[in-house]
Amino acid sequence: MKIIIDEELNNSSKFVIEEYIPMKIVLDETEEPIDYFSYSKGKKSLLEIAVGVNSGRIKKVTLLMSEDYTICDKKICMIDVPCESANIKVMDYITIECEKFSTELFEDALRILLSNKNVTRYVKMGRLCIGMSNGNEIIEICVMGLSNEESNHVKNELNFQ
């Protein structure tokens, strides 16, 4: 998979509350055909990413299910890693079967871990932060600033999946 960091800022992101879907973030509602790739672990953990066919931009990130999840009664603590505001373009994407796939719901954020590798930088797109490895792999997805309604929705959908 080829990841390109686009310096053009995207400060918009919308958390969509949808029945049976723990988390859906819409980043770009521009009219464009979309294609999907996903991260999964077995048949019980699945994260889907929608990418614009022409632009390559990430348009939506959807957590459909997560077998391994933790609910924490504390605020998220982001490690001291550089963070830049930009867009991510994804080219030559493939579906990835993860060795690790876990979800952590905090009072104010949701973190989805997709690898045991270390995050070397974050790319921030609105409320969505994507943790990247040295090799420009997506290894973590964070949704920051969850409201009580959003947090309760995620918790309920994870519990009832």
Side-chain angles (χ1 to χ4, degrees):
M1 179 176 344
K2 182 178 177 187
I3 305 267
I4 300 168
I5 306 300
D6 181 1
E7 301 286 320
E8 185 180 331
L9 297 180
N10 177 8
N11 291 322
S12 82
S13 60
K14 179 171 65 174
F15 189 102
V16 178
I17 292 180
E18 192 171 313
E19 194 172 17
Y20 306 116
I21 306 290
M23 185 272 303
K24 180 189 270 185
I25 293 287
V26 177
L27 297 163
D28 182 356
E29 296 183 282
T30 308
E31 202 60 35
E32 175 183 13
I34 56 175
D35 203 357
Y36 298 90
F37 71 97
S38 62
Y39 291 84
S40 63
K41 183 173 181 186
K43 296 182 189 245
K44 295 186 177 181
S45 297
L46 180 63
L47 178 80
E48 183 177 80
I49 299 178
V51 176
V53 171
N54 301 322
S55 68
R57 284 187 172 188
I58 294 178
K59 296 180 113 12
K60 289 184 225 169
V61 178
T62 307
L63 176 65
L64 295 164
M65 56 186 151
S66 181
E67 180 177 40
D68 179 12
Y69 67 91
T70 306
I71 298 173
C72 306
D73 292 330
K74 61 182 179 179
K75 295 191 180 227
I76 194 167
C77 178
M78 299 294 280
I79 55 176
D80 191 21
V81 172
C83 182
E84 62 187 288
S85 292
N87 277 316
I88 292 180
K89 292 184 179 184
V90 184
M91 309 295 178
D92 303 322
Y93 38 83
I94 57 171
T95 295
I96 297 170
E97 179 69 23
C98 303
E99 287 185 31
K100 177 186 183 92
F101 190 120
S102 65
T103 303
E104 300 170 327
L105 177 62
F106 296 87
E107 289 178 0
D108 59 341
L110 177 71
R111 176 186 287 155
I112 304 161
L113 303 166
L114 302 168
S115 173
N116 287 319
K117 294 182 180 178
N118 291 327
V119 172
T120 57
R121 71 177 179 176
Y122 286 100
V123 177
K124 185 176 183 334
M125 299 182 295
R127 294 170 51 198
L128 185 72
C129 292
I130 298 184
M132 309 289 288
S133 70
N134 264 343
N136 261 2
E137 299 165 285
I138 296 173
I139 58 174
E140 184 178 303
I141 303 283
C142 293
V143 180
M144 309 303 285
L146 290 181
S147 69
N148 286 337
E149 180 186 19
E150 293 165 342
S151 183
N152 287 333
H153 171 78
V154 173
K155 185 185 306 182
N156 289 337
E157 296 306 325
L158 285 172
N159 284 329
F160 293 119
Q161 61 183 340

